[in-house]
């Protein structure tokens, strides 16, 4: 199953370390099959409040996403970003091809208290 790294990064002033981070990050996830899916693109908020930017990196699976995050290559450059940009970052598994959400709805209904 594919996995994703999703980052919600707040606005930050331009800084040379951020530019260096952006230049160096692709080499860190290439060994794990990662690639940018969303980066430096505009987003449209439909509900709620979402200031800042969205970054998504896709990986073949959650093991590869975790291995990338924990890798010495990524951990070496992560402070270049974190010193200048606040944000939230998650790793999340995707769903398999042909995923049917009705099975989830059925399990949810079965877990509801009887009326």
């Amino acid at each position: 199953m594919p996995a994703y790294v999703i980052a919600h990064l707040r606005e930050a002033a331009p800084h040379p370390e951020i530019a260096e981070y952006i230049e160096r990050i692709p080499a860190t996830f290439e060994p794990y099959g990662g690639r940018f899916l969303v980066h430096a693109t505009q987003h449209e908020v439909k509900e709620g409040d979402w200031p800042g930017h969205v970054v998504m990196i896709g990986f073949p699976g959650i093991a590869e996403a975790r291995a990338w995050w924990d890798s010495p290559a990524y951990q070496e450059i992560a402070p270049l970003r974190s010193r200048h940009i606040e944000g939230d970052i998650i790793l999340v598994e995707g769903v398999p091809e042909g995923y049917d959400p009705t099975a989830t709805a059925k399990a949810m209904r079965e877990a509801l208290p009887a009326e």
Side-chain angles (χ1 to χ4, degrees):
M1 249 183 306
Y4 306 96
V5 175
I6 303 172
H8 177 203
L9 304 176
R10 307 313 184 270
E11 295 289 341
H15 192 281
E17 286 191 342
I18 297 171
E20 180 182 349
Y21 174 83
I22 293 169
E23 291 166 347
R24 293 176 59 187
I25 192 170
T28 69
F29 54 69
E30 286 173 1
Y32 305 97
R35 69 182 186 91
F36 278 115
L37 301 174
V38 176
H39 187 253
T41 57
Q42 295 295 316
H43 65 272
E44 185 175 332
V45 178
K46 294 296 190 181
E47 289 187 30
D49 186 30
W50 195 287
H53 302 280
V54 178
V55 175
M56 288 182 63
I57 304 167
F59 288 91
I62 195 72
E64 291 87 352
R66 286 183 184 126
W68 165 75
W69 181 265
D70 295 333
S71 71
Y74 181 68
Q75 289 303 309
E76 178 183 319
I77 69 166
L80 298 173
R81 171 195 45 78
S82 63
R83 281 194 288 260
H84 306 285
I85 303 174
E86 290 185 26
D88 304 302
I89 301 173
I90 63 169
L91 277 64
V92 61
E93 284 187 290
V95 296
E97 190 75 30
Y99 170 74
D100 180 3
T102 60
T104 300
K106 180 181 178 194
M108 186 180 293
R109 287 187 185 285
E110 290 170 354
L112 293 171
E115 291 183 9

